[in-house]
Amino acid sequence: MTEELIKEVKHIQQCLINVEMEGEAYEEKMEIVHKLEEVATYLKDALGQDINF
């Protein structure tokens, strides 16, 4: 299940990256992308520790 969540987070990141934005909207988008990367990293760490969600 955790692996599926990681794949979904990565898919959402890619969808956001593909959207053309400028200025403040671009900055907000990139902040969201970085936060999603933190979520993916957390999930990968949890997967390695055999934590069940």
Side-chain angles (χ1 to χ4, degrees), residues 9 13 30-40:
V9 168
Q13 276 183 302
M30 293 311 295
E31 185 177 332
I32 293 168
V33 168
H34 290 290
K35 287 181 180 183
L36 286 170
E37 186 61 36
E38 290 175 11
V39 170

Side-chain angles (χ1 to χ4, degrees), residues 2-42:
T2 304
E3 293 173 7
E4 292 174 30
L5 289 172
I6 293 169
K7 287 178 185 177
E8 284 298 316
V9 168
K10 293 293 186 178
H11 175 76
I12 293 167
Q13 276 183 302
Q14 192 59 48
C15 289
L16 283 171
I17 289 170
N18 290 338
V19 174
E20 292 290 328
M21 294 183 176
E22 296 179 1
E24 190 175 315
Y26 175 80
E27 292 175 17
E28 290 176 1
K29 174 182 82 167
M30 293 311 295
E31 185 177 332
I32 293 168
V33 168
H34 290 290
K35 287 181 180 183
L36 286 170
E37 186 61 36
E38 290 175 11
V39 170
T41 300
Y42 176 81

